[in-house]
Amino acid sequence: PKGKVWKFGAPKTKLSRRAIPLPASVAAELRAHRREQSKRRLKLGDAYADHDLVFAGELGTPISNTNLS
């Protein structure tokens, strides 16, 4: 949205950070996704905005309805 700014940082409290159990198959898919994301990040170099997002746009930016494909 126009005028909005994304902010990235640590959670507000210790309790905000938690482990979420995942089936092994989902964990494997997420690892594969992360490998592909890392390849893209290396290929794009400084053009990739590395915010350490699990799901990001092609340039590492947050996904929004304007960059979904």
Side-chain angles (χ1 to χ4, degrees), residues 1-2 4 7 9 11-12 20 25 30 34 38-39 41 43 50-51 55 61 63 66:
K2 198 171 190 173
K4 302 264 182 172
K7 293 184 182 182
K12 291 180 184 178
I20 301 170
S25 60
L30 286 170
R34 186 59 142 193
S38 293
K39 289 178 190 176
R41 184 174 61 241
K43 183 178 177 182
D50 191 2
H51 297 295
F55 299 105
T61 54
I63 294 175
T66 59

Side-chain angles (χ1 to χ4, degrees), residues 7-56:
K7 293 184 182 182
F8 299 95
K12 291 180 184 178
T13 68
K14 279 186 170 184
L15 293 175
S16 296
R17 204 176 263 285
R18 53 194 155 271
I20 301 170
L22 298 173
S25 60
V26 173
E29 287 293 329
L30 286 170
R31 282 192 293 275
H33 172 72
R34 186 59 142 193
R35 282 191 298 274
E36 292 303 313
Q37 194 177 48
S38 293
K39 289 178 190 176
R40 189 177 322 118
R41 184 174 61 241
L42 286 173
K43 183 178 177 182
L44 292 172
D46 290 340
Y48 190 89
D50 191 2
H51 297 295
D52 198 30
L53 300 173
V54 174
F55 299 105

Side-chain angles (χ1 to χ4, degrees), residues 56-58 63-69:
E58 288 295 314
I63 294 175
S64 71
N65 61 352
T66 59
N67 64 1
L68 286 176
S69 55

